[in-house]
Amino acid sequence: MIPLFLFTIGKSVLNPPVLAESTHTYDVLHYYIRVDLPLDSRYLDAHVTIAAKSEVANLDSVTLHLVGFTVDSVLIDGTLASFSHPTGEVRIKLPSPQQVGDSFNIDIFYHGYATGSPYAGYVYFSAGGEVLHPIGYTMAEPYDARYWLACFDEPWDKAEYGCDLEVTVPDSFTVCANGILVSVADGEGRRTFHWKETHPIATYLIHFGASIYVRVPIYYHSLLIDNYVWPEDSAKAVKAFANLPHMFDLYDSLYGPYPFGDEKYGHDAVYPCAFGGMEHQTMTTLHRYYIVNGGDWVIAHELSHQWWGDMVTCIDWRDIWLNESFATYSDALFVEYMNGHQAFLDRMRERAKIYFREDSTYHRPIYDPPMDSLFNYAYTYCKASWVLHMLRYLGGDSLYYLGLRNYRDSLAYGNASTYDLCRIVSRIYGTDLTWFFNEWIFSPGHPEYDVDWGVYPEANRYRTRIRIAQVQTNSPIFHLPVEIRLRFDSGDTLIRFPIQDSVEIFEVITTKRPIGLEVDPNEWILNLADVEIGVAEEPSPKPVRIILPTICAGLITITADRATEVQILDPSGRVVDRIHLKPGKNCYRPRFSSGVYFLRKEATILKKFIYLDRSGPPQYTVP
Ligand SMILES: [Zn+2]
């Protein structure tokens, strides 16, 4: 989903959270949804068949979510069942108990006027003013599916076998929905559109849209991208969707093939709408504004949700950042793909500013936002996208994208939690990243670096002393390594420093005099930094960590008294190389970039060293 920034037509009211049952006694397998719409009001007439499986012994009742409506009858496997309809629920007594693994069908018939926010659940607007045609559509994230659909309305109970939607409307209307169009049947001035989604689907992603639509189909290779817009907008829609093939090119290459390639992708344009867009599975809903005026970033954002949100869905709303971080970072990556790295950095900076502004008045972790702050743009979108940017910084592109592909493959068409992402990326990075998620997802804030530095000439060389302090007062220390660029008359050197404490002091010995220093020059870390020249030589707040030999390049010579294996670790503890040493002198050519590294033998750190790929070789003796 993307919040809407351009309009003030009303704010969707987020419903109070309904906590997931501690034990969900049944598993939904499939929804067969039949709705009949007069399309002159929010009235609907529904018959929903839910295929479910018992998860417990002697299951004698089931509870569905449904807000409002008059429930006419409920059948279990064709037998009339008794039920009650207290607020928000339908409690059904099963005619005979179900055992673990037993499958059964629930048929529920209901009718009435949809209630709740006018922009959520089942939305209907008649024509008039800027509403060119009557329109009815569903909008359900997070807990609004129950305002039109009798269902088990939690993102973690996906219907494994998908859903069928048969939507009957006056025959001047066209209906689009999830999956593929199976049939269109006419009779007595009414038309029934049957759509079928075969992949697992969460209730908040089930969607139909009905209006006086024309189709503007385009193709990505053989994939149909089926777009439904008002007739007046068809030419504009062609323009608005012109870059979709580029978006597919980018996301296919980064994340693997489009997850619903055996069905379709598409959009329905809606107005009025309280949101910018919503990533309904295979059928994104877009605010009409983005058809009329264009909006690549929203279109890209929603497309990337098909991987992150729809194929891999947050397990519950505490983890909403998993959906939105990926989509937000993906739309920034699309900006880079089309307009270059500077445009990407501009977008990331703009989002950092939005977060810093919000953090100054509303300081909280990303994880488990209050329900009225679920779609807080500063946290759930901006800061969360920076978390992925930093995760990428930590592992580098090849590990980051390998991690994402593993995350996708392990959880495809299912659900994910922050713990899943941490576990999978840790395995790929070869180091436990719990600290990273603790600091950036489960804790509030960001590092504020105060960096002082000074250069001290010594015989034939320069000693540069760098003091990196974290001075934030309302969050703990962040352990992300910090990159510092030392500038010289000719050429620069980038060094990645490990951070363990609130104050870290490093000394770098060079043969040329550094003339400048930049903190995080490639803008990988969500931070505020203040850099000053002139660091106090004495007294020191703590023993200065002198790293010598600091300069090595080309070959490192390591002497061993017997055959052994040593490992090179980066500041995050990841093994970047293993070296098999022969007795005597070993010449080793590093395969990593400049930075701080550790030489480890078994569990013992033998040496911490800075590797600069432009200078002279050091020698080590391995005991
Ligand atoms: Zn989104």
Side-chain angles (χ1 to χ4, degrees):
M1 183 182 280
I2 199 81
L4 188 67
F5 308 104
L6 303 157
F7 302 90
T8 51
I9 54 174
K11 186 161 165 26
S12 174
V13 177
L14 288 170
N15 302 297
V18 177
L19 292 177
E21 284 84 338
S22 54
T23 52
H24 184 34
T25 55
Y26 63 96
D27 179 26
V28 173
L29 304 176
H30 184 264
Y31 291 102
Y32 202 112
I33 303 158
R34 304 162 198 84
V35 283
D36 199 307
L37 308 170
L39 282 165
D40 58 4
S41 64
R42 294 181 85 186
Y43 184 88
L44 65 83
D45 206 329
H47 168 200
V48 179
T49 306
I50 303 170
K53 188 176 71 178
S54 177
E55 296 280 355
V56 295
N58 300 316
L59 177 70
D60 59 3
S61 67
V62 293
T63 299
L64 301 176
H65 297 116
L66 181 68
V67 183
F69 301 105
T70 300
V71 177
D72 304 308
S73 58
V74 178
L75 286 80
I76 301 294
D77 289 333
T79 302
L80 215 50
S82 62
F83 64 90
S84 61
H85 186 21
T87 305
E89 290 182 347
V90 180
R91 294 181 192 151
I92 303 160
K93 182 122 186 53
L94 302 186
S96 55
Q98 303 287 331
Q99 303 308 322
V100 177
D102 285 356
S103 296
F104 57 99
N105 283 333
I106 308 166
D107 279 280
I108 175 165
F109 298 82
Y110 55 95
H111 71 276
Y113 293 89
T115 56
S117 158
Y119 301 101
Y122 174 52
V123 179
Y124 171 81
F125 287 94
S126 55
E130 291 185 1
V131 186
L132 304 186
H133 304 280
I135 187 166
Y137 65 91
T138 65
M139 188 63 87
E141 192 181 18
Y143 281 132
D144 291 326
R146 64 193 66 186
Y147 281 82
W148 73 276
L149 176 66
C151 61
F152 186 78
D153 196 14
E154 290 288 352
W156 45 267
D157 187 2
K158 287 189 174 184
E160 278 89 332
Y161 301 101
C163 65
D164 282 67
L165 290 119
E166 277 185 24
V167 183
T168 302
V169 293
D171 63 7
S172 54
F173 284 80
T174 298
V175 179
C176 55
N178 312 99
I180 53 165
L181 182 61
V182 176
S183 64
V184 180
D186 285 323
E188 297 170 2
R190 312 280 294 161
R191 185 168 287 172
T192 299
F193 294 80
H194 178 189
W195 289 86
K196 187 177 190 64
E197 167 62 58
T198 56
H199 296 281
I201 188 167
T203 48
Y204 80 95
L205 296 170
I206 298 176
H207 167 76
F208 68 81
S211 190
I212 308 301
Y213 278 139
V214 291
R215 284 180 62 216
V216 183
I218 58 173
Y219 285 87
Y220 175 66
H221 302 299
S222 60
L223 177 72
L224 169 65
I225 305 170
D226 211 2
N227 304 302
Y228 290 76
V229 300
W230 285 341
E232 294 82 352
D233 297 339
S234 47
K236 285 173 182 146
V238 171
K239 248 176 98 177
F241 294 126
N243 282 329
L244 259 168
H246 299 303
M247 297 170 194
F248 272 95
D249 279 343
L250 175 65
Y251 299 147
D252 274 17
S253 71
L254 295 180
Y255 308 142
Y258 172 67
F260 308 102
D262 54 347
E263 293 178 346
K264 68 145 193 333
Y265 186 54
H267 299 85
D268 56 341
V270 299
Y271 179 81
C273 180
F275 301 98
M278 176 62 212
E279 65 275 18
H280 297 119
Q281 194 159 306
T282 73
M283 192 78 223
T284 281
T285 299
L286 278 183
H287 193 292
R288 180 182 176 234
Y289 176 90
Y290 295 111
I291 304 296
V292 175
N293 299 285
D296 271 357
W297 73 278
V298 176
I299 294 169
H301 177 103
E302 305 303 350
L303 173 61
S304 68
H305 266 311
Q306 299 294 316
W307 284 262
W308 313 118
D310 294 8
M311 175 174 56
V312 181
T313 307
C314 62
I315 196 155
D316 62 34
W317 301 116
R318 292 173 299 178
D319 279 309
I320 181 64
W321 81 275
L322 288 175
N323 287 13
E324 297 304 343
S325 59
F326 282 110
T328 307
Y329 196 48
S330 293
D331 74 55
L333 291 172
F334 182 68
V335 168
E336 180 174 48
Y337 185 70
M338 296 301 281
N339 303 315
H341 189 61
Q342 202 50 48
F344 165 79
L345 288 179
D346 289 345
R347 178 60 55 90
M348 294 301 288
R349 263 182 230 139
E350 177 193 306
R351 287 176 168 163
K353 265 191 214 154
I354 291 170
Y355 156 70
F356 289 134
R357 206 181 311 130
E358 180 81 354
D359 178 71
S360 65
T361 56
Y362 183 33
H363 183 69
R364 66 161 172 87
I366 287 176
Y367 186 73
D368 195 11
M371 282 309 279
D372 64 358
S373 194
L374 205 58
F375 301 109
N376 177 300
Y377 188 63
Y379 279 103
T380 303
Y381 296 74
C382 296
K383 185 181 184 187
S385 68
W386 267 93
V387 172
L388 294 184
H389 189 56
M390 293 184 286
L391 194 59
R392 182 178 160 206
Y393 162 66
L394 206 50
D397 274 12
S398 58
L399 285 183
Y400 173 74
Y401 286 110
L402 182 63
L404 292 200
R405 283 191 289 275
N406 272 265
Y407 173 67
R408 176 201 67 197
D409 292 344
S410 317
L411 302 163
Y413 306 104
N415 295 93
S417 69
T418 303
Y419 299 98
D420 291 319
L421 182 64
C422 176
R423 172 176 55 80
I424 290 165
V425 179
S426 292
R427 179 165 53 78
I428 299 301
Y429 281 29
T431 182
D432 183 359
L433 294 171
T434 303
W435 62 271
F436 176 84
F437 289 91
N438 278 341
E439 291 170 11
W440 288 102
I441 297 299
F442 296 107
S443 307
H446 52 270
E448 291 175 30
Y449 301 119
D450 197 347
V451 178
D452 302 310
W453 68 293
V455 179
Y456 304 94
E458 295 181 347
N460 302 325
R461 62 185 199 172
Y462 296 91
R463 182 163 55 91
T464 301
R465 197 159 185 264
I466 303 166
R467 179 181 180 276
I468 305 173
Q470 286 186 44
V471 297
Q472 65 273 13
T473 52
N474 56 4
S475 41
I477 298 306
F478 290 82
H479 291 84
L480 209 56
V482 175
E483 278 186 350
I484 301 265
R485 178 185 284 152
L486 277 183
R487 289 199 284 112
F488 298 88
D489 272 334
S490 56
D492 299 340
T493 291
L494 189 67
I495 306 170
R496 196 176 278 205
F497 289 101
I499 301 292
Q500 276 132 32
D501 294 309
S502 57
V503 177
E504 293 280 358
I505 297 174
F506 301 95
E507 295 202 340
V508 179
I509 311 296
T510 54
T511 51
K512 291 181 197 153
R513 186 186 182 97
I515 55 166
L517 177 147
E518 285 171 81
V519 178
D520 188 32
N522 295 320
E523 302 182 48
W524 282 110
I525 304 176
L526 183 62
N527 77 94
L528 296 171
D530 189 19
V531 180
E532 272 179 50
I533 295 184
V535 63
E537 185 76 336
E538 297 294 343
S540 168
K542 58 181 242 184
V544 175
R545 182 184 302 154
I546 307 264
I547 302 167
L548 280 173
T550 53
I551 305 172
C552 58
L555 295 174
I556 298 177
T557 306
I558 306 173
T559 306
D561 60 358
R562 59 194 159 80
T564 186
E565 188 195 88
V566 291
Q567 296 155 359
I568 308 283
L569 278 63
D570 75 5
S572 62
R574 185 163 57 89
V575 175
V576 294
D577 210 351
R578 292 170 201 278
I579 313 167
H580 296 283
L581 299 176
K582 303 181 303 263
K585 269 194 177 178
N586 293 262
C587 286
Y588 167 66
R589 183 177 296 282
R591 286 177 286 183
F592 39 80
S593 52
S594 297
V596 174
Y597 293 92
F598 301 87
L599 189 65
R600 183 173 75 179
K601 187 183 164 211
E602 287 152 8
T604 309
I605 298 292
L606 302 174
K607 190 82 200 167
K608 178 188 283 188
F609 65 101
I610 296 179
Y611 171 66
L612 301 180
D613 57 11
R614 296 186 304 109
S615 34
Q619 297 194 344
Y620 301 117
T621 299
V622 174

